[in-house]
Amino acid sequence: MTPEAKARLLIDQKLEQAGWIIQDKNQINLGAGLGIAVREYPTDSGPADYVLFIDRKPVGVIEAKKDTAGENITAVELQNERYATSNPKWWKDAQPLRFLFEATGQITRFTDGADPAPRSREIFSFYRPEQLVEWLAQAESFRRRLAEQMPTLHEKDLRDCQVSAVTGLEQSLALNKPRALVHMATGAGKTFTAITSVYRLLKFGGAKRILFLVDTRNLGKQAHQEFMAYTPPDDARKFTELYNVQRLSSSSIDPHAQVCISTIQRMYSILSGEPIDESAEDISLNELQQTSNQEKIVRYNPAIPPEFFDVIIIDECHRSIYNLWQQVLDYFDAYQVGLTATPDKRTYGYFNENIVAEYTYEQSVADGVNVGYDVYEIETEVTKKGGKLKAKAWVNHRDRQTRKKRWGATEEDTPYTGKELDRSVVNLSQIRNVIQAMKTAVETEIFPARKEVPKTLIFAKTDSHADDIINIVREVYGQGNEFCRKVTYSEKDADGILSSFRNDYYPRIAVTVDMIATGTDVKPLEVLLFMRDVRSKGYYEQMKGRGVRSLDADSLQRVTNSAEGAKSRFVLIDAVGVEKSLKTESRPLERKPGVPLKDLMESIAVGHKDDDTVLTLGNRLARLAKLLDNKAQARIEKHSGGVSLGDLGKNLIMALDPDKIVAEALAAAKANGFTRDEDSLLPEELETARKNRVAKASLPFDNPDLRNNIEAARSDREQIIDHINIDQVTAKGFSKQTEAKAKADIEAFADYLKAHKDEIAALGFFYQQPYQRRQLTFDMIEELHDHLAKPPLMLTTERLWSAYARIKGNQVKGNDKHRQLTDLISLIRFALELDTELKPFSDQVDKRFQEWIFRHNAQRGTAFTPEQTEWLRLMKDHIASSCSISRDDFDYADLANKGGLQKAWNLFGAQLDPLMTEMNEELVA
């Protein structure tokens, strides 16, 4: 069976699951049911893979591709649009087909042509015919209603933060952003805010059904009570008098319920058909240690199809949804809205850093003015330093070709460099931050007067990287498919897209790997964004040349209406350091030892053949065998003596089969002239049989070439999707202005210190003479940091340290260290010229401690005992992180675990308080 046929078989299965009747074109019977999917239906543009009929009328089209086309699935959109706008045979002057699907056997993407900016999205499976009937009967699509029909919010009785959250969420939904995060402090009224949004989505947005997910059954009860108590501002009736609200306590969902309140455990039980005890809903998943064998597998459920909910609100969203339960949420084709008082980096990553309660456009605008330039630099933390995923971190692993994802734990600590981004590891946050920085820069610094995005070309590393960029560009800009297109050699209509890019309004942004790198003129092009490095200087110069062509005012304004006049410049946005790189190969990924596949194979090879190692390796090989293509399998068989990878894993697992071990032991005993049965076998005979079976199954792994090929196949096949290491822009600006901006930050810091020395307690500490100094506290430093970090200064400790590093160079130490709040002390001392070098505060405390304890021991009749010295070091470490130490601080874990205040008093007696006072003065001074 060909790859195309295999994909069609899986697509047929998904269609049938959703209730479609599949027919060949020569066996059409449109009266056979409500929804008919006709294969190879003829159109003016050729036969479409599937045309979908509802009540005998064509309404949609499916473009089917083999699984390996998954990495280029967005390239199929134009082909599908062509079929959708063609006349199906026997249907003259037909309206364009509204529902567009692109599918392989693994992934399905969908575009609704009735949306205000039609944008494809990945869905779990095809919609039921009944759902399409319902949508066709509506005057507008749900997304169009969200974008165009939501009235102004009644702000009466709402706090400012609630108004900000509701309006911010609705703005996000209007832009069709799939996920949004509302970060509100405890007690600010998150649930009331959420119910306000739910009411408006039901009444004005026309949402059919909303899922309200809670952490525990008790929180579900509380939420239900709040729904019952809620009275909307424009109606005297209670919410539950207007809309049906069901708190799920069984596997049954009321078909008339418009709000369903549930735990994620209960929802998984309903989807999977597995029963659940109510007590399981009383345990917060945030407190539950989860293991890989608890991984949740979600399959299509015709009773609860993916389109069942329009919106999912996740109350107190936490790590459980990013680990084993995420597939429950991803099953539904629904907007996801998170509510939390305690977000962490995984929360921000999961919700695409779309923080609607805090997000304002002004906050996203960085400093800078519209000045002349050649290169605009964007530097992010992950681009510069890479990242690291710890062993057992739950992340998506994505097949490079099919783009099929599997959710699983990393096998080992996985560090990666910026050079390895989008090859072995994909960090979507890094892409999103670069694109957001580009958007902000173009709108506020580069072309601030423009009403549309200038024609922009993005250079990507691979087709897969290009697809990631395309999806995030569309999301960040809040635009549809036509706004951003891929132009690569793998694209069937690449020339047509390129012509449109050159001559038409859309696309505004094109993403390419190499097709437009050389020899192609796109005169209206005004922005180049490099998201890939280039090793060849000549090739790089050719790529830059795409933007240098001149264009008269009329020609430019035909495609960029708000251009001020003739094209006078272009901007190269460097997001990977391409201007400064040596154009060399990226370094190979180095991994720390742990329990990776490579180490398991080597353990077997050197003789470590315990049951756990053998079974673990066998299971991993069996899983890997299902992921590799024929070429990779053949390379492995070449070094395994013809044994397939799947059989290598199976042989290891079966080597430990108890029945087969017994059978082999009995055969060996018989061959040696002994009469045995299963009960009379000796432990030694069983162990010998086990060792023989394991040795035979392990024998192929003595070959290092086999081990290397298996490891290479595993590494090459999948990319890790890193959603844990949230990226941030650390520097951006015109290259000639980077140093000027750093100087400006330093000057602003120095001016602030002088201007506020009498107002802020921490500053008074440094401006006083030593004998007048009073104790500096952590609260004082925190207060100062809060003042500095607020707009308009935005001078965080990290930003100030980076600025000094740029300007002062060798005088600044510890650039690679994680910044602590107490490093602000070092920054102040350096700014006031009390220190000649800028070092992390902890380093300075260490140095002063050594000097102090040496001096103290010299002045005493007897030196501190080893135990006293160890306690003084603990006290020193506390000062390094908290500025000072007092009796109350002995309740903290590091000190309390050693015996706390009582132990310290036993060691130092009445000298404890004078010692603490002396250390606070000497180590912080």
Side-chain angles (χ1 to χ4, degrees), residues 609-611 656 661-662 664-665 681-695:
K609 298 183 174 68
D610 57 282
D611 286 8
L656 296 175
I661 290 174
V662 168
E664 186 160 323
L681 280 170
L682 299 175
E684 296 84 358
E685 293 173 319
L686 288 170
E687 180 59 19
T688 298
R690 176 203 168 278
K691 286 182 178 179
N692 290 339
R693 291 182 58 79
V694 170

mmCIF file with all atom_site columns, all heavy atoms in Angstrom, residues 609-611 656 661-662 664-665 681-695:
data_model
loop_
_atom_site.group_PDB
_atom_site.id
_atom_site.type_symbol
_atom_site.label_atom_id
_atom_site.label_alt_id
_atom_site.label_comp_id
_atom_site.label_asym_id
_atom_site.label_entity_id
_atom_site.label_seq_id
_atom_site.pdbx_PDB_ins_code
_atom_site.Cartn_x
_atom_site.Cartn_y
_atom_site.Cartn_z
_atom_site.occupancy
_atom_site.B_iso_or_equiv
_atom_site.pdbx_formal_charge
_atom_site.auth_seq_id
_atom_site.auth_comp_id
_atom_site.auth_asym_id
_atom_site.auth_atom_id
_atom_site.pdbx_PDB_model_num
ATOM 1   N N   . LYS A 1 609 ? 22.953 -6.109  32.749 1.00 0.00 ? 609 LYS A N   1
ATOM 2   C CA  . LYS A 1 609 ? 21.754 -6.688  32.134 1.00 0.00 ? 609 LYS A CA  1
ATOM 3   C C   . LYS A 1 609 ? 20.698 -7.006  33.182 1.00 0.00 ? 609 LYS A C   1
ATOM 4   O O   . LYS A 1 609 ? 20.074 -8.065  33.175 1.00 0.00 ? 609 LYS A O   1
ATOM 5   C CB  . LYS A 1 609 ? 22.127 -7.949  31.341 1.00 0.00 ? 609 LYS A CB  1
ATOM 6   C CG  . LYS A 1 609 ? 23.094 -7.677  30.183 1.00 0.00 ? 609 LYS A CG  1
ATOM 7   C CD  . LYS A 1 609 ? 23.373 -8.943  29.386 1.00 0.00 ? 609 LYS A CD  1
ATOM 8   C CE  . LYS A 1 609 ? 24.220 -8.671  28.151 1.00 0.00 ? 609 LYS A CE  1
ATOM 9   N NZ  . LYS A 1 609 ? 25.599 -8.273  28.477 1.00 0.00 ? 609 LYS A NZ  1
ATOM 10  N N   . ASP A 1 610 ? 20.483 -6.068  34.115 1.00 0.00 ? 610 ASP A N   1
ATOM 11  C CA  . ASP A 1 610 ? 19.413 -6.258  35.089 1.00 0.00 ? 610 ASP A CA  1
ATOM 12  C C   . ASP A 1 610 ? 18.060 -6.112  34.404 1.00 0.00 ? 610 ASP A C   1
ATOM 13  O O   . ASP A 1 610 ? 17.944 -5.570  33.303 1.00 0.00 ? 610 ASP A O   1
ATOM 14  C CB  . ASP A 1 610 ? 19.544 -5.224  36.210 1.00 0.00 ? 610 ASP A CB  1
ATOM 15  C CG  . ASP A 1 610 ? 19.518 -3.803  35.673 1.00 0.00 ? 610 ASP A CG  1
ATOM 16  O OD1 . ASP A 1 610 ? 20.549 -3.354  35.139 1.00 0.00 ? 610 ASP A OD1 1
ATOM 17  O OD2 . ASP A 1 610 ? 18.454 -3.156  35.742 1.00 0.00 ? 610 ASP A OD2 1
ATOM 18  N N   . ASP A 1 611 ? 17.030 -6.591  35.051 1.00 0.00 ? 611 ASP A N   1
ATOM 19  C CA  . ASP A 1 611 ? 15.691 -6.604  34.441 1.00 0.00 ? 611 ASP A CA  1
ATOM 20  C C   . ASP A 1 611 ? 15.229 -5.206  34.038 1.00 0.00 ? 611 ASP A C   1
ATOM 21  O O   . ASP A 1 611 ? 14.655 -5.009  32.962 1.00 0.00 ? 611 ASP A O   1
ATOM 22  C CB  . ASP A 1 611 ? 14.677 -7.224  35.409 1.00 0.00 ? 611 ASP A CB  1
ATOM 23  C CG  . ASP A 1 611 ? 14.829 -8.741  35.506 1.00 0.00 ? 611 ASP A CG  1
ATOM 24  O OD1 . ASP A 1 611 ? 15.806 -9.288  34.954 1.00 0.00 ? 611 ASP A OD1 1
ATOM 25  O OD2 . ASP A 1 611 ? 13.958 -9.371  36.137 1.00 0.00 ? 611 ASP A OD2 1
ATOM 26  N N   . LEU A 1 656 ? 12.894 -11.919 28.998 1.00 0.00 ? 656 LEU A N   1
ATOM 27  C CA  . LEU A 1 656 ? 12.525 -11.955 30.410 1.00 0.00 ? 656 LEU A CA  1
ATOM 28  C C   . LEU A 1 656 ? 11.140 -12.557 30.628 1.00 0.00 ? 656 LEU A C   1
ATOM 29  O O   . LEU A 1 656 ? 10.593 -12.472 31.736 1.00 0.00 ? 656 LEU A O   1
ATOM 30  C CB  . LEU A 1 656 ? 12.577 -10.532 30.986 1.00 0.00 ? 656 LEU A CB  1
ATOM 31  C CG  . LEU A 1 656 ? 13.964 -9.894  31.004 1.00 0.00 ? 656 LEU A CG  1
ATOM 32  C CD1 . LEU A 1 656 ? 13.872 -8.446  31.478 1.00 0.00 ? 656 LEU A CD1 1
ATOM 33  C CD2 . LEU A 1 656 ? 14.918 -10.670 31.898 1.00 0.00 ? 656 LEU A CD2 1
ATOM 34  N N   . ILE A 1 661 ? 11.513 -18.567 30.166 1.00 0.00 ? 661 ILE A N   1
ATOM 35  C CA  . ILE A 1 661 ? 12.683 -18.867 31.000 1.00 0.00 ? 661 ILE A CA  1
ATOM 36  C C   . ILE A 1 661 ? 12.531 -20.258 31.622 1.00 0.00 ? 661 ILE A C   1
ATOM 37  O O   . ILE A 1 661 ? 13.474 -21.062 31.647 1.00 0.00 ? 661 ILE A O   1
ATOM 38  C CB  . ILE A 1 661 ? 12.857 -17.787 32.091 1.00 0.00 ? 661 ILE A CB  1
ATOM 39  C CG1 . ILE A 1 661 ? 13.298 -16.464 31.457 1.00 0.00 ? 661 ILE A CG1 1
ATOM 40  C CG2 . ILE A 1 661 ? 13.874 -18.248 33.142 1.00 0.00 ? 661 ILE A CG2 1
ATOM 41  C CD1 . ILE A 1 661 ? 13.351 -15.308 32.440 1.00 0.00 ? 661 ILE A CD1 1
ATOM 42  N N   . VAL A 1 662 ? 11.322 -20.559 32.120 1.00 0.00 ? 662 VAL A N   1
ATOM 43  C CA  . VAL A 1 662 ? 11.058 -21.880 32.706 1.00 0.00 ? 662 VAL A CA  1
ATOM 44  C C   . VAL A 1 662 ? 11.246 -22.970 31.655 1.00 0.00 ? 662 VAL A C   1
ATOM 45  O O   . VAL A 1 662 ? 11.883 -24.012 31.902 1.00 0.00 ? 662 VAL A O   1
ATOM 46  C CB  . VAL A 1 662 ? 9.644  -21.929 33.308 1.00 0.00 ? 662 VAL A CB  1
ATOM 47  C CG1 . VAL A 1 662 ? 9.253  -23.370 33.648 1.00 0.00 ? 662 VAL A CG1 1
ATOM 48  C CG2 . VAL A 1 662 ? 9.561  -21.058 34.554 1.00 0.00 ? 662 VAL A CG2 1
ATOM 49  N N   . GLU A 1 664 ? 13.041 -22.936 28.939 1.00 0.00 ? 664 GLU A N   1
ATOM 50  C CA  . GLU A 1 664 ? 14.444 -23.116 28.577 1.00 0.00 ? 664 GLU A CA  1
ATOM 51  C C   . GLU A 1 664 ? 15.206 -23.820 29.698 1.00 0.00 ? 664 GLU A C   1
ATOM 52  O O   . GLU A 1 664 ? 16.082 -24.668 29.436 1.00 0.00 ? 664 GLU A O   1
ATOM 53  C CB  . GLU A 1 664 ? 15.091 -21.769 28.268 1.00 0.00 ? 664 GLU A CB  1
ATOM 54  C CG  . GLU A 1 664 ? 16.526 -21.888 27.732 1.00 0.00 ? 664 GLU A CG  1
ATOM 55  C CD  . GLU A 1 664 ? 16.960 -20.645 26.992 1.00 0.00 ? 664 GLU A CD  1
ATOM 56  O OE1 . GLU A 1 664 ? 16.115 -20.041 26.301 1.00 0.00 ? 664 GLU A OE1 1
ATOM 57  O OE2 . GLU A 1 664 ? 18.137 -20.285 27.095 1.00 0.00 ? 664 GLU A OE2 1
ATOM 58  N N   . ALA A 1 665 ? 14.874 -23.515 30.939 1.00 0.00 ? 665 ALA A N   1
ATOM 59  C CA  . ALA A 1 665 ? 15.526 -24.189 32.066 1.00 0.00 ? 665 ALA A CA  1
ATOM 60  C C   . ALA A 1 665 ? 15.191 -25.677 32.082 1.00 0.00 ? 665 ALA A C   1
ATOM 61  O O   . ALA A 1 665 ? 16.059 -26.533 32.367 1.00 0.00 ? 665 ALA A O   1
ATOM 62  C CB  . ALA A 1 665 ? 15.116 -23.526 33.380 1.00 0.00 ? 665 ALA A CB  1
ATOM 63  N N   . LEU A 1 681 ? 12.442 -26.941 39.662 1.00 0.00 ? 681 LEU A N   1
ATOM 64  C CA  . LEU A 1 681 ? 13.604 -26.248 39.110 1.00 0.00 ? 681 LEU A CA  1
ATOM 65  C C   . LEU A 1 681 ? 14.327 -25.477 40.203 1.00 0.00 ? 681 LEU A C   1
ATOM 66  O O   . LEU A 1 681 ? 13.697 -24.828 41.051 1.00 0.00 ? 681 LEU A O   1
ATOM 67  C CB  . LEU A 1 681 ? 13.165 -25.276 38.002 1.00 0.00 ? 681 LEU A CB  1
ATOM 68  C CG  . LEU A 1 681 ? 12.895 -25.887 36.619 1.00 0.00 ? 681 LEU A CG  1
ATOM 69  C CD1 . LEU A 1 681 ? 12.246 -24.842 35.709 1.00 0.00 ? 681 LEU A CD1 1
ATOM 70  C CD2 . LEU A 1 681 ? 14.202 -26.390 35.992 1.00 0.00 ? 681 LEU A CD2 1
ATOM 71  N N   . LEU A 1 682 ? 15.640 -25.533 40.163 1.00 0.00 ? 682 LEU A N   1
ATOM 72  C CA  . LEU A 1 682 ? 16.447 -24.823 41.150 1.00 0.00 ? 682 LEU A CA  1
ATOM 73  C C   . LEU A 1 682 ? 16.581 -23.350 40.761 1.00 0.00 ? 682 LEU A C   1
ATOM 74  O O   . LEU A 1 682 ? 16.589 -23.007 39.567 1.00 0.00 ? 682 LEU A O   1
ATOM 75  C CB  . LEU A 1 682 ? 17.832 -25.444 41.238 1.00 0.00 ? 682 LEU A CB  1
ATOM 76  C CG  . LEU A 1 682 ? 17.886 -26.918 41.660 1.00 0.00 ? 682 LEU A CG  1
ATOM 77  C CD1 . LEU A 1 682 ? 19.324 -27.433 41.594 1.00 0.00 ? 682 LEU A CD1 1
ATOM 78  C CD2 . LEU A 1 682 ? 17.318 -27.092 43.051 1.00 0.00 ? 682 LEU A CD2 1
ATOM 79  N N   . PRO A 1 683 ? 16.707 -22.437 41.744 1.00 0.00 ? 683 PRO A N   1
ATOM 80  C CA  . PRO A 1 683 ? 16.896 -21.015 41.419 1.00 0.00 ? 683 PRO A CA  1
ATOM 81  C C   . PRO A 1 683 ? 18.092 -20.796 40.490 1.00 0.00 ? 683 PRO A C   1
ATOM 82  O O   . PRO A 1 683 ? 18.054 -19.940 39.608 1.00 0.00 ? 683 PRO A O   1
ATOM 83  C CB  . PRO A 1 683 ? 17.116 -20.372 42.787 1.00 0.00 ? 683 PRO A CB  1
ATOM 84  C CG  . PRO A 1 683 ? 16.433 -21.288 43.756 1.00 0.00 ? 683 PRO A CG  1
ATOM 85  C CD  . PRO A 1 683 ? 16.610 -22.668 43.196 1.00 0.00 ? 683 PRO A CD  1
ATOM 86  N N   . GLU A 1 684 ? 19.168 -21.607 40.704 1.00 0.00 ? 684 GLU A N   1
ATOM 87  C CA  . GLU A 1 684 ? 20.344 -21.443 39.866 1.00 0.00 ? 684 GLU A CA  1
ATOM 88  C C   . GLU A 1 684 ? 20.050 -21.801 38.413 1.00 0.00 ? 684 GLU A C   1
ATOM 89  O O   . GLU A 1 684 ? 20.579 -21.174 37.483 1.00 0.00 ? 684 GLU A O   1
ATOM 90  C CB  . GLU A 1 684 ? 21.495 -22.331 40.390 1.00 0.00 ? 684 GLU A CB  1
ATOM 91  C CG  . GLU A 1 684 ? 21.986 -21.957 41.778 1.00 0.00 ? 684 GLU A CG  1
ATOM 92  C CD  . GLU A 1 684 ? 21.136 -22.597 42.881 1.00 0.00 ? 684 GLU A CD  1
ATOM 93  O OE1 . GLU A 1 684 ? 20.149 -23.304 42.551 1.00 0.00 ? 684 GLU A OE1 1
ATOM 94  O OE2 . GLU A 1 684 ? 21.423 -22.344 44.073 1.00 0.00 ? 684 GLU A OE2 1
ATOM 95  N N   . GLU A 1 685 ? 19.223 -22.815 38.211 1.00 0.00 ? 685 GLU A N   1
ATOM 96  C CA  . GLU A 1 685 ? 18.878 -23.226 36.849 1.00 0.00 ? 685 GLU A CA  1
ATOM 97  C C   . GLU A 1 685 ? 18.031 -22.158 36.146 1.00 0.00 ? 685 GLU A C   1
ATOM 98  O O   . GLU A 1 685 ? 18.210 -21.873 34.958 1.00 0.00 ? 685 GLU A O   1
ATOM 99  C CB  . GLU A 1 685 ? 18.137 -24.561 36.874 1.00 0.00 ? 685 GLU A CB  1
ATOM 100 C CG  . GLU A 1 685 ? 19.002 -25.723 37.340 1.00 0.00 ? 685 GLU A CG  1
ATOM 101 C CD  . GLU A 1 685 ? 18.217 -26.996 37.532 1.00 0.00 ? 685 GLU A CD  1
ATOM 102 O OE1 . GLU A 1 685 ? 17.075 -26.912 38.067 1.00 0.00 ? 685 GLU A OE1 1
ATOM 103 O OE2 . GLU A 1 685 ? 18.728 -28.074 37.167 1.00 0.00 ? 685 GLU A OE2 1
ATOM 104 N N   . LEU A 1 686 ? 17.107 -21.556 36.907 1.00 0.00 ? 686 LEU A N   1
ATOM 105 C CA  . LEU A 1 686 ? 16.291 -20.486 36.337 1.00 0.00 ? 686 LEU A CA  1
ATOM 106 C C   . LEU A 1 686 ? 17.143 -19.266 35.995 1.00 0.00 ? 686 LEU A C   1
ATOM 107 O O   . LEU A 1 686 ? 16.972 -18.645 34.934 1.00 0.00 ? 686 LEU A O   1
ATOM 108 C CB  . LEU A 1 686 ? 15.181 -20.089 37.318 1.00 0.00 ? 686 LEU A CB  1
ATOM 109 C CG  . LEU A 1 686 ? 14.031 -21.091 37.493 1.00 0.00 ? 686 LEU A CG  1
ATOM 110 C CD1 . LEU A 1 686 ? 13.140 -20.683 38.656 1.00 0.00 ? 686 LEU A CD1 1
ATOM 111 C CD2 . LEU A 1 686 ? 13.207 -21.176 36.206 1.00 0.00 ? 686 LEU A CD2 1
ATOM 112 N N   . GLU A 1 687 ? 18.091 -18.923 36.894 1.00 0.00 ? 687 GLU A N   1
ATOM 113 C CA  . GLU A 1 687 ? 18.939 -17.752 36.654 1.00 0.00 ? 687 GLU A CA  1
ATOM 114 C C   . GLU A 1 687 ? 19.840 -17.986 35.445 1.00 0.00 ? 687 GLU A C   1
ATOM 115 O O   . GLU A 1 687 ? 20.070 -17.074 34.643 1.00 0.00 ? 687 GLU A O   1
ATOM 116 C CB  . GLU A 1 687 ? 19.773 -17.442 37.898 1.00 0.00 ? 687 GLU A CB  1
ATOM 117 C CG  . GLU A 1 687 ? 20.707 -16.238 37.763 1.00 0.00 ? 687 GLU A CG  1
ATOM 118 C CD  . GLU A 1 687 ? 19.967 -14.949 37.430 1.00 0.00 ? 687 GLU A CD  1
ATOM 119 O OE1 . GLU A 1 687 ? 18.739 -14.863 37.641 1.00 0.00 ? 687 GLU A OE1 1
ATOM 120 O OE2 . GLU A 1 687 ? 20.615 -14.028 36.909 1.00 0.00 ? 687 GLU A OE2 1
ATOM 121 N N   . THR A 1 688 ? 20.341 -19.214 35.307 1.00 0.00 ? 688 THR A N   1
ATOM 122 C CA  . THR A 1 688 ? 21.186 -19.523 34.144 1.00 0.00 ? 688 THR A CA  1
ATOM 123 C C   . THR A 1 688 ? 20.387 -19.387 32.852 1.00 0.00 ? 688 THR A C   1
ATOM 124 O O   . THR A 1 688 ? 20.877 -18.826 31.853 1.00 0.00 ? 688 THR A O   1
ATOM 125 C CB  . THR A 1 688 ? 21.748 -20.951 34.260 1.00 0.00 ? 688 THR A CB  1
ATOM 126 O OG1 . THR A 1 688 ? 22.563 -21.039 35.434 1.00 0.00 ? 688 THR A OG1 1
ATOM 127 C CG2 . THR A 1 688 ? 22.579 -21.309 33.040 1.00 0.00 ? 688 THR A CG2 1
ATOM 128 N N   . ALA A 1 689 ? 19.163 -19.885 32.867 1.00 0.00 ? 689 ALA A N   1
ATOM 129 C CA  . ALA A 1 689 ? 18.310 -19.774 31.680 1.00 0.00 ? 689 ALA A CA  1
ATOM 130 C C   . ALA A 1 689 ? 18.030 -18.316 31.357 1.00 0.00 ? 689 ALA A C   1
ATOM 131 O O   . ALA A 1 689 ? 18.060 -17.898 30.185 1.00 0.00 ? 689 ALA A O   1
ATOM 132 C CB  . ALA A 1 689 ? 17.009 -20.534 31.896 1.00 0.00 ? 689 ALA A CB  1
ATOM 133 N N   . ARG A 1 690 ? 17.774 -17.526 32.398 1.00 0.00 ? 690 ARG A N   1
ATOM 134 C CA  . ARG A 1 690 ? 17.533 -16.102 32.190 1.00 0.00 ? 690 ARG A CA  1
ATOM 135 C C   . ARG A 1 690 ? 18.751 -15.434 31.574 1.00 0.00 ? 690 ARG A C   1
ATOM 136 O O   . ARG A 1 690 ? 18.648 -14.661 30.606 1.00 0.00 ? 690 ARG A O   1
ATOM 137 C CB  . ARG A 1 690 ? 17.165 -15.429 33.515 1.00 0.00 ? 690 ARG A CB  1
ATOM 138 C CG  . ARG A 1 690 ? 16.994 -13.911 33.410 1.00 0.00 ? 690 ARG A CG  1
ATOM 139 C CD  . ARG A 1 690 ? 17.179 -13.213 34.762 1.00 0.00 ? 690 ARG A CD  1
ATOM 140 N NE  . ARG A 1 690 ? 17.292 -11.784 34.586 1.00 0.00 ? 690 ARG A NE  1
ATOM 141 C CZ  . ARG A 1 690 ? 18.405 -11.155 34.239 1.00 0.00 ? 690 ARG A CZ  1
ATOM 142 N NH1 . ARG A 1 690 ? 19.525 -11.851 34.001 1.00 0.00 ? 690 ARG A NH1 1
ATOM 143 N NH2 . ARG A 1 690 ? 18.427 -9.853  34.098 1.00 0.00 ? 690 ARG A NH2 1
ATOM 144 N N   . LYS A 1 691 ? 19.912 -15.701 32.140 1.00 0.00 ? 691 LYS A N   1
ATOM 145 C CA  . LYS A 1 691 ? 21.144 -15.077 31.636 1.00 0.00 ? 691 LYS A CA  1
ATOM 146 C C   . LYS A 1 691 ? 21.403 -15.464 30.189 1.00 0.00 ? 691 LYS A C   1
ATOM 147 O O   . LYS A 1 691 ? 21.816 -14.622 29.379 1.00 0.00 ? 691 LYS A O   1
ATOM 148 C CB  . LYS A 1 691 ? 22.327 -15.474 32.515 1.00 0.00 ? 691 LYS A CB  1
ATOM 149 C CG  . LYS A 1 691 ? 22.362 -14.784 33.867 1.00 0.00 ? 691 LYS A CG  1
ATOM 150 C CD  . LYS A 1 691 ? 23.602 -15.195 34.648 1.00 0.00 ? 691 LYS A CD  1
ATOM 151 C CE  . LYS A 1 691 ? 23.669 -14.464 35.986 1.00 0.00 ? 691 LYS A CE  1
ATOM 152 N NZ  . LYS A 1 691 ? 24.868 -14.875 36.765 1.00 0.00 ? 691 LYS A NZ  1
ATOM 153 N N   . ASN A 1 692 ? 21.144 -16.699 29.856 1.00 0.00 ? 692 ASN A N   1
ATOM 154 C CA  . ASN A 1 692 ? 21.367 -17.136 28.474 1.00 0.00 ? 692 ASN A CA  1
ATOM 155 C C   . ASN A 1 692 ? 20.434 -16.420 27.505 1.00 0.00 ? 692 ASN A C   1
ATOM 156 O O   . ASN A 1 692 ? 20.846 -16.004 26.409 1.00 0.00 ? 692 ASN A O   1
ATOM 157 C CB  . ASN A 1 692 ? 21.175 -18.650 28.365 1.00 0.00 ? 692 ASN A CB  1
ATOM 158 C CG  . ASN A 1 692 ? 22.288 -19.421 29.048 1.00 0.00 ? 692 ASN A CG  1
ATOM 159 O OD1 . ASN A 1 692 ? 23.390 -18.901 29.266 1.00 0.00 ? 692 ASN A OD1 1
ATOM 160 N ND2 . ASN A 1 692 ? 22.014 -20.673 29.420 1.00 0.00 ? 692 ASN A ND2 1
ATOM 161 N N   . ARG A 1 693 ? 19.189 -16.295 27.893 1.00 0.00 ? 693 ARG A N   1
ATOM 162 C CA  . ARG A 1 693 ? 18.227 -15.626 27.026 1.00 0.00 ? 693 ARG A CA  1
ATOM 163 C C   . ARG A 1 693 ? 18.563 -14.144 26.871 1.00 0.00 ? 693 ARG A C   1
ATOM 164 O O   . ARG A 1 693 ? 18.517 -13.592 25.763 1.00 0.00 ? 693 ARG A O   1
ATOM 165 C CB  . ARG A 1 693 ? 16.799 -15.782 27.577 1.00 0.00 ? 693 ARG A CB  1
ATOM 166 C CG  . ARG A 1 693 ? 16.265 -17.203 27.509 1.00 0.00 ? 693 ARG A CG  1
ATOM 167 C CD  . ARG A 1 693 ? 14.829 -17.269 28.029 1.00 0.00 ? 693 ARG A CD  1
ATOM 168 N NE  . ARG A 1 693 ? 13.938 -16.394 27.280 1.00 0.00 ? 693 ARG A NE  1
ATOM 169 C CZ  . ARG A 1 693 ? 13.427 -16.696 26.080 1.00 0.00 ? 693 ARG A CZ  1
ATOM 170 N NH1 . ARG A 1 693 ? 13.735 -17.854 25.494 1.00 0.00 ? 693 ARG A NH1 1
ATOM 171 N NH2 . ARG A 1 693 ? 12.617 -15.860 25.468 1.00 0.00 ? 693 ARG A NH2 1
ATOM 172 N N   . VAL A 1 694 ? 18.918 -13.493 27.970 1.00 0.00 ? 694 VAL A N   1
ATOM 173 C CA  . VAL A 1 694 ? 19.259 -12.066 27.909 1.00 0.00 ? 694 VAL A CA  1
ATOM 174 C C   . VAL A 1 694 ? 20.541 -11.863 27.108 1.00 0.00 ? 694 VAL A C   1
ATOM 175 O O   . VAL A 1 694 ? 20.658 -10.923 26.309 1.00 0.00 ? 694 VAL A O   1
ATOM 176 C CB  . VAL A 1 694 ? 19.386 -11.478 29.332 1.00 0.00 ? 694 VAL A CB  1
ATOM 177 C CG1 . VAL A 1 694 ? 19.973 -10.072 29.284 1.00 0.00 ? 694 VAL A CG1 1
ATOM 178 C CG2 . VAL A 1 694 ? 18.032 -11.468 30.032 1.00 0.00 ? 694 VAL A CG2 1
ATOM 179 N N   . ALA A 1 695 ? 21.523 -12.750 27.310 1.00 0.00 ? 695 ALA A N   1
ATOM 180 C CA  . ALA A 1 695 ? 22.786 -12.618 26.577 1.00 0.00 ? 695 ALA A CA  1
ATOM 181 C C   . ALA A 1 695 ? 22.560 -12.728 25.075 1.00 0.00 ? 695 ALA A C   1
ATOM 182 O O   . ALA A 1 695 ? 23.140 -11.979 24.284 1.00 0.00 ? 695 ALA A O   1
ATOM 183 C CB  . ALA A 1 695 ? 23.766 -13.680 27.051 1.00 0.00 ? 695 ALA A CB  1
#
